[in-house]
Amino acid sequence: MNEEELKKISEEIKNCNKCPLYKSRKNAVPGEGDFKSGIMLIGEAPGFNEDLQGRPFVGRAGKLLEEFLKSVGKRREEVFITNVVKCRPPNNRQPEENEIKICTSLYLDRQIEIIKPKLIVCLGNISASYIFKKFGLRFESMNKQHGKVFSISNLYIKTKIVATYHPAAILRNPNLMNLAKADWEIIKEEMEKL
Ligand code: URA
């Protein structure tokens, strides 16, 4: 694994002006954590607090993510946390297709290639749609596919993929909490196999 290359990608992200999101960002958010853990958590895009601090999942959704991590015996520093898109979309709107295309081809794809995660946890629909498609899987909906384990093996990576509800979606709709807790039980089992 090439730590230098990962750092270089972070620097590129911080200086990126390849899509319109750079105009309104305060800080780009490359991602952080233990890239040697074999575990990658991938969210959607930075929000207000992440944009201020340049770090992923540091607002309310981040607190909930930390609780899920605690429930599986992990601290946030023990996994690698990043997003599909590295700059905050204005007013927290969803990232647009061209923003996702530009940002992932320049950054997330390379981060995955270097880290070679053994387990990818997709947080929310945007992340799951992108990652499933990237690895040749069909993503229908979170309601249908959350908490299921998909094994992927190709020339450059052997990994498992699990999608679960985005912590922000759970905060908006607490009915999702029990489903998410069950997903994290499954994620825990997969982590224990690593
Ligand atoms: N939501 C995300 O998808 N990512 C973050 O980093 C914060 C909130």
Side-chain angles (χ1 to χ4, degrees):
M1 182 176 327
N2 192 335
E3 188 171 352
E4 285 308 310
E5 183 65 16
L6 213 50
K7 279 196 193 140
K8 187 169 161 271
I9 295 172
S10 291
E11 289 308 310
E12 287 175 35
I13 292 170
K14 287 180 196 164
N15 296 311
C16 183
N17 59 5
K18 298 284 196 297
C19 95
L21 293 182
Y22 85 93
K23 292 181 194 156
S24 50
R25 75 164 182 241
K26 289 195 169 60
N27 290 290
V29 181
E32 63 183 29
D34 183 2
F35 54 88
K36 293 179 183 151
S37 64
I39 302 166
M40 259 181 113
L41 269 51
I42 304 177
E44 177 177 319
F48 177 82
N49 292 289
E50 291 76 21
D51 179 60
L52 279 185
Q53 296 187 38
R55 299 180 56 212
F57 285 99
V58 289
R60 275 182 74 218
K63 286 276 157 293
L64 181 53
L65 180 61
E66 284 174 20
E67 279 179 38
F68 286 130
L69 280 168
K70 196 170 168 199
S71 78
V72 303
K74 297 273 181 212
R75 286 173 292 122
R76 59 177 290 146
E77 315 82 73
E78 294 178 302
V79 297
F80 191 84
I81 305 176
T82 190
N83 287 300
V84 170
V85 164
K86 313 303 190 192
C87 294
R88 182 193 183 207
N91 303 316
N92 292 355
R93 65 157 169 76
Q94 282 196 353
E96 289 171 1
E97 217 166 283
N98 72 313
E99 295 159 353
I100 293 174
K101 199 169 165 193
I102 293 169
C103 199
T104 52
S105 65
L106 285 170
Y107 306 122
L108 181 65
D109 289 352
R110 285 163 68 209
Q111 288 175 316
I112 292 172
E113 208 166 307
I114 292 167
I115 293 173
K116 297 198 185 353
K118 301 223 163 3
L119 177 65
I120 299 176
V121 179
C122 301
L123 301 167
N125 284 301
I126 295 280
S127 169
S129 307
Y130 179 73
I131 292 293
F132 275 52
K133 189 164 176 218
K134 173 178 170 63
F135 289 104
L137 301 166
R138 221 168 95 81
F139 183 71
E140 287 179 63
S141 71
M142 192 57 83
N143 287 340
K144 270 195 189 162
Q145 281 161 298
H146 71 95
K148 292 189 178 149
V149 183
F150 296 86
S151 296
I152 289 297
S153 182
N154 65 27
L155 275 181
Y156 79 96
I157 200 167
K158 190 170 186 299
T159 190
K160 289 185 181 172
I161 298 171
V162 183
T164 186
Y165 293 95
H166 194 292
I170 303 165
L171 291 171
R172 283 193 302 269
N173 178 5
N175 291 330
L176 298 174
M177 182 58 101
N178 284 340
L179 296 173
K181 280 185 179 167
D183 292 347
W184 281 91
E185 283 294 318
I186 287 158
I187 292 165
K188 183 172 188 221
E189 284 170 21
E190 292 305 321
M191 287 181 177
E192 283 166 357
K193 290 183 202 162
L194 294 180

Coordinates of all heavy atoms in Angstrom, one line a residue, residues 51-101:
D51 N -17.3 20.8 6.0 CA -16.8 21.8 5.2 C -16.0 22.8 6.0 O -14.9 23.3 5.6 CB -17.9 22.6 4.4 CG -17.5 23.7 3.6 OD1 -16.7 23.4 2.6 OD2 -17.9 24.8 3.8
L52 N -16.5 23.1 7.2 CA -15.8 24.0 8.1 C -14.4 23.4 8.6 O -13.4 24.1 8.7 CB -16.6 24.4 9.3 CG -17.7 25.4 9.2 CD1 -18.3 25.6 10.6 CD2 -17.1 26.7 8.7
Q53 N -14.5 22.1 8.9 CA -13.3 21.5 9.5 C -12.4 20.8 8.6 O -11.3 20.4 8.9 CB -13.8 20.5 10.6 CG -14.5 21.2 11.8 CD -14.8 20.3 12.9 OE1 -14.0 19.4 13.2 NE2 -16.0 20.4 13.5
G54 N -12.9 20.5 7.4 CA -12.1 19.7 6.4 C -12.0 18.2 6.8 O -11.0 17.5 6.4
R55 N -12.9 17.7 7.7 CA -12.9 16.3 8.1 C -14.3 15.7 7.9 O -15.3 16.4 8.0 CB -12.6 16.3 9.6 CG -11.2 16.9 10.0 CD -11.0 16.7 11.5 NE -11.1 15.4 11.9 CZ -11.6 15.0 13.1 NH1 -11.9 15.9 14.0 NH2 -11.6 13.7 13.4
P56 N -14.3 14.4 7.6 CA -15.6 13.8 7.3 C -16.4 13.4 8.6 O -15.8 13.2 9.6 CB -15.2 12.4 6.6 CG -13.9 12.1 7.2 CD -13.2 13.5 7.4
F57 N -17.7 13.5 8.5 CA -18.6 13.0 9.6 C -18.2 13.6 10.9 O -17.9 12.9 11.9 CB -18.6 11.5 9.6 CG -19.5 10.9 8.5 CD1 -18.9 10.4 7.3 CD2 -20.9 10.9 8.6 CE1 -19.7 9.9 6.3 CE2 -21.6 10.4 7.6 CZ -21.0 9.9 6.4
V58 N -18.2 15.0 11.0 CA -17.9 15.6 12.3 C -19.2 16.3 12.9 O -19.1 16.9 14.0 CB -16.7 16.6 12.2 CG1 -15.4 15.8 12.1 CG2 -16.9 17.6 11.1
G59 N -20.3 16.3 12.2 CA -21.5 16.9 12.7 C -22.4 15.9 13.4 O -21.9 14.9 13.9
R60 N -23.7 16.2 13.4 CA -24.7 15.3 14.1 C -24.7 13.9 13.5 O -24.7 12.9 14.2 CB -26.1 15.8 14.0 CG -26.4 16.9 15.1 CD -27.8 17.3 14.9 NE -28.8 16.4 15.4 CZ -30.0 16.1 14.8 NH1 -30.3 16.8 13.8 NH2 -30.8 15.2 15.3
A61 N -24.6 13.8 12.2 CA -24.6 12.5 11.5 C -23.3 11.7 12.0 O -23.3 10.5 12.2 CB -24.7 12.6 10.0
G62 N -22.2 12.5 12.1 CA -21.0 11.9 12.5 C -21.0 11.3 13.9 O -20.5 10.2 14.2
K63 N -21.7 12.0 14.8 CA -21.9 11.5 16.2 C -22.6 10.1 16.2 O -22.3 9.2 16.8 CB -22.7 12.5 17.0 CG -21.9 13.7 17.4 CD -21.1 13.5 18.7 CE -19.9 14.4 18.8 NZ -18.8 14.3 17.9
L64 N -23.7 10.1 15.3 CA -24.4 8.8 15.2 C -23.5 7.7 14.6 O -23.5 6.6 15.1 CB -25.7 9.0 14.4 CG -26.6 7.8 14.2 CD1 -26.9 7.1 15.6 CD2 -27.9 8.1 13.5
L65 N -22.7 8.1 13.6 CA -21.8 7.1 13.0 C -20.9 6.6 14.0 O -20.6 5.4 14.1 CB -21.1 7.8 11.8 CG -20.1 6.8 11.1 CD1 -20.8 5.6 10.5 CD2 -19.3 7.6 10.0
E66 N -20.4 7.5 14.9 CA -19.4 7.1 15.9 C -20.1 6.1 16.9 O -19.5 5.2 17.4 CB -18.9 8.3 16.7 CG -17.8 9.0 15.9 CD -17.4 10.3 16.6 OE1 -17.5 10.5 17.8 OE2 -16.8 11.2 15.8
E67 N -21.4 6.3 17.2 CA -22.1 5.4 18.0 C -22.2 4.0 17.4 O -22.1 3.0 18.0 CB -23.5 5.9 18.3 CG -23.6 6.9 19.4 CD -25.0 7.4 19.7 OE1 -25.9 6.6 19.6 OE2 -25.1 8.6 19.9
F68 N -22.5 4.0 16.1 CA -22.6 2.7 15.4 C -21.2 2.0 15.4 O -21.1 0.8 15.6 CB -23.0 2.8 13.9 CG -24.5 3.1 13.7 CD1 -24.9 4.2 12.9 CD2 -25.4 2.4 14.3 CE1 -26.2 4.5 12.8 CE2 -26.8 2.6 14.2 CZ -27.2 3.7 13.4
L69 N -20.2 2.8 15.2 CA -18.8 2.2 15.3 C -18.5 1.7 16.6 O -18.0 0.6 16.8 CB -17.8 3.3 14.9 CG -17.7 3.5 13.4 CD1 -16.8 4.8 13.1 CD2 -17.0 2.3 12.6
K70 N -18.9 2.4 17.7 CA -18.7 1.9 19.0 C -19.4 0.6 19.2 O -18.9 -0.3 19.9 CB -19.3 3.0 20.0 CG -18.8 2.8 21.4 CD -19.1 4.0 22.3 CE -18.9 3.6 23.7 NZ -19.7 4.5 24.6
S71 N -20.6 0.5 18.7 CA -21.4 -0.8 18.8 C -20.7 -2.0 18.2 O -21.0 -3.1 18.5 CB -22.8 -0.6 18.3 OG -22.8 -0.7 16.9
V72 N -19.8 -1.7 17.2 CA -19.0 -2.8 16.6 C -17.6 -2.8 17.1 O -16.7 -3.5 16.6 CB -19.0 -2.7 15.1 CG1 -20.5 -2.7 14.5 CG2 -18.3 -1.5 14.5
G73 N -17.3 -2.1 18.2 CA -16.0 -2.2 18.9 C -15.0 -1.4 18.2 O -13.8 -1.7 18.3
K74 N -15.3 -0.4 17.4 CA -14.3 0.4 16.7 C -14.4 1.9 17.1 O -15.5 2.4 17.3 CB -14.5 0.3 15.2 CG -14.4 -1.0 14.6 CD -12.9 -1.3 14.3 CE -12.8 -2.7 13.7 NZ -11.6 -3.3 13.9
R75 N -13.3 2.6 17.1 CA -13.2 4.0 17.2 C -13.0 4.5 15.7 O -12.5 3.8 14.9 CB -12.1 4.5 18.0 CG -12.3 4.3 19.5 CD -11.1 4.6 20.4 NE -10.0 3.6 20.1 CZ -8.8 3.9 19.7 NH1 -8.5 5.2 19.4 NH2 -7.9 3.0 19.5
R76 N -13.4 5.8 15.5 CA -13.4 6.2 14.1 C -12.0 6.2 13.5 O -11.9 6.0 12.3 CB -14.1 7.6 14.0 CG -13.4 8.7 14.8 CD -14.1 10.1 14.6 NE -13.8 10.6 13.3 CZ -14.7 11.3 12.5 NH1 -15.8 11.6 13.0 NH2 -14.3 11.7 11.4
E77 N -11.0 6.4 14.4 CA -9.6 6.4 13.8 C -9.2 5.0 13.3 O -8.2 4.9 12.7 CB -8.6 6.8 14.9 CG -8.9 8.0 15.7 CD -9.8 7.7 16.9 OE1 -9.4 7.1 17.9 OE2 -11.0 8.1 16.8
E78 N -10.0 4.0 13.7 CA -9.6 2.6 13.4 C -10.1 2.2 12.0 O -9.8 1.0 11.6 CB -10.0 1.7 14.5 CG -9.3 1.9 15.8 CD -9.9 1.0 16.9 OE1 -11.1 1.0 17.2 OE2 -9.0 0.3 17.5
V79 N -10.8 3.0 11.3 CA -11.3 2.7 10.0 C -11.0 3.9 9.1 O -10.7 5.0 9.6 CB -12.8 2.4 10.0 CG1 -13.1 1.1 10.8 CG2 -13.6 3.5 10.5
F80 N -11.1 3.7 7.8 CA -10.9 4.9 6.9 C -12.3 5.4 6.5 O -13.1 4.6 6.0 CB -10.1 4.5 5.7 CG -9.6 5.7 4.9 CD1 -8.5 6.4 5.2 CD2 -10.3 6.1 3.8 CE1 -8.1 7.5 4.5 CE2 -9.9 7.3 3.1 CZ -8.8 7.9 3.4
I81 N -12.5 6.7 6.7 CA -13.8 7.3 6.5 C -13.6 8.3 5.4 O -12.8 9.2 5.5 CB -14.4 8.0 7.7 CG1 -14.4 7.0 8.9 CG2 -15.8 8.5 7.4 CD1 -14.9 7.6 10.2
T82 N -14.4 8.2 4.3 CA -14.4 9.3 3.3 C -15.8 9.4 2.7 O -16.8 8.8 3.2 CB -13.3 9.0 2.2 OG1 -13.1 10.1 1.4 CG2 -13.6 7.7 1.4
N83 N -15.9 10.1 1.6 CA -17.1 10.4 0.9 C -17.0 10.2 -0.6 O -15.9 10.2 -1.1 CB -17.6 11.8 1.1 CG -18.1 12.0 2.6 OD1 -19.1 11.4 3.0 ND2 -17.4 12.9 3.3
V84 N -18.1 10.0 -1.3 CA -18.1 9.9 -2.7 C -17.6 11.2 -3.3 O -16.7 11.2 -4.2 CB -19.5 9.6 -3.3 CG1 -19.6 9.8 -4.8 CG2 -19.9 8.2 -2.9
V85 N -18.1 12.3 -2.8 CA -17.7 13.7 -3.3 C -17.0 14.4 -2.2 O -17.4 14.3 -1.0 CB -19.0 14.4 -3.8 CG1 -18.8 15.9 -3.9 CG2 -19.5 13.8 -5.1
K86 N -15.9 15.1 -2.5 CA -15.1 15.6 -1.5 C -15.3 17.1 -1.1 O -14.7 17.6 -0.2 CB -13.6 15.5 -1.9 CG -13.2 14.1 -2.5 CD -13.4 13.0 -1.5 CE -12.8 11.7 -2.1 NZ -13.2 10.5 -1.3
C87 N -16.2 17.7 -1.8 CA -16.6 19.1 -1.4 C -18.0 19.2 -1.2 O -18.8 18.5 -1.8 CB -16.2 20.1 -2.6 SG -14.4 20.2 -2.8
R88 N -18.4 20.1 -0.3 CA -19.8 20.3 0.1 C -20.6 20.9 -1.0 O -20.3 22.0 -1.5 CB -19.9 21.2 1.3 CG -21.3 21.4 1.8 CD -21.4 22.5 2.8 NE -22.8 22.6 3.3 CZ -23.4 23.7 3.7 NH1 -22.7 24.9 3.7 NH2 -24.6 23.7 4.1
P89 N -21.7 20.2 -1.4 CA -22.6 20.8 -2.4 C -23.4 21.9 -1.7 O -23.8 21.8 -0.5 CB -23.6 19.7 -2.8 CG -22.9 18.4 -2.3 CD -22.1 18.8 -1.1
P90 N -23.7 23.1 -2.3 CA -24.4 24.2 -1.7 C -25.7 23.8 -1.0 O -26.4 22.9 -1.6 CB -24.6 25.1 -2.9 CG -23.7 24.7 -3.9 CD -23.4 23.3 -3.7
N91 N -25.9 24.3 0.1 CA -27.1 24.0 0.9 C -27.4 22.5 1.1 O -28.5 22.0 1.3 CB -28.4 24.5 0.2 CG -28.3 26.0 0.0 OD1 -27.8 26.7 0.9 ND2 -28.6 26.5 -1.2
N92 N -26.3 21.7 1.1 CA -26.4 20.3 1.4 C -27.3 19.5 0.3 O -27.8 18.5 0.7 CB -26.9 19.9 2.8 CG -25.9 20.3 3.8 OD1 -24.8 20.7 3.5 ND2 -26.3 20.2 5.1
R93 N -27.4 20.1 -0.8 CA -28.2 19.3 -1.9 C -27.4 18.1 -2.2 O -26.2 18.0 -1.9 CB -28.4 20.2 -3.1 CG -27.1 20.6 -3.9 CD -27.4 20.9 -5.3 NE -26.3 21.5 -6.0 CZ -25.2 20.9 -6.4 NH1 -25.1 19.6 -6.2 NH2 -24.2 21.5 -7.0
Q94 N -28.0 17.2 -2.9 CA -27.3 15.9 -3.3 C -26.3 16.3 -4.4 O -26.5 17.2 -5.2 CB -28.3 15.0 -3.9 CG -29.1 14.2 -2.9 CD -29.8 13.0 -3.5 OE1 -29.8 12.8 -4.7 NE2 -30.4 12.2 -2.6
P95 N -25.2 15.6 -4.4 CA -24.2 15.9 -5.5 C -24.8 15.5 -6.8 O -25.6 14.5 -6.9 CB -23.0 15.0 -5.1 CG -23.5 14.1 -4.0 CD -24.7 14.6 -3.4
E96 N -24.5 16.2 -7.8 CA -25.0 16.0 -9.2 C -24.2 14.9 -9.9 O -23.0 14.7 -9.5 CB -25.1 17.2 -10.0 CG -26.2 18.2 -9.5 CD -26.1 19.6 -10.1 OE1 -25.2 19.8 -11.0 OE2 -26.9 20.4 -9.7
E97 N -24.8 14.3 -10.9 CA -24.1 13.2 -11.6 C -22.7 13.6 -12.1 O -21.8 12.8 -12.0 CB -25.0 12.8 -12.8 CG -25.0 11.3 -13.0 CD -26.1 10.9 -13.9 OE1 -27.2 10.8 -13.5 OE2 -25.8 10.6 -15.1
N98 N -22.6 14.8 -12.7 CA -21.3 15.2 -13.3 C -20.3 15.4 -12.2 O -19.1 15.1 -12.3 CB -21.4 16.4 -14.2 CG -21.7 17.7 -13.4 OD1 -22.5 17.7 -12.5 ND2 -20.9 18.7 -13.6
E99 N -20.7 15.9 -11.0 CA -19.8 16.1 -9.9 C -19.3 14.8 -9.4 O -18.2 14.6 -9.0 CB -20.6 16.9 -8.7 CG -20.9 18.3 -9.1 CD -22.1 18.9 -8.3 OE1 -22.7 18.2 -7.5 OE2 -22.3 20.1 -8.5
I100 N -20.3 13.8 -9.3 CA -19.9 12.4 -8.8 C -18.9 11.8 -9.8 O -17.9 11.2 -9.4 CB -21.1 11.6 -8.7 CG1 -22.0 12.1 -7.6 CG2 -20.8 10.1 -8.4 CD1 -23.4 11.4 -7.4
K101 N -19.2 12.0 -11.1 CA -18.3 11.4 -12.1 C -16.9 11.9 -12.1 O -15.9 11.2 -12.0 CB -18.9 11.7 -13.5 CG -18.5 10.7 -14.6 CD -19.3 10.9 -15.8 CE -18.6 10.3 -17.0 NZ -19.2 10.7 -18.2

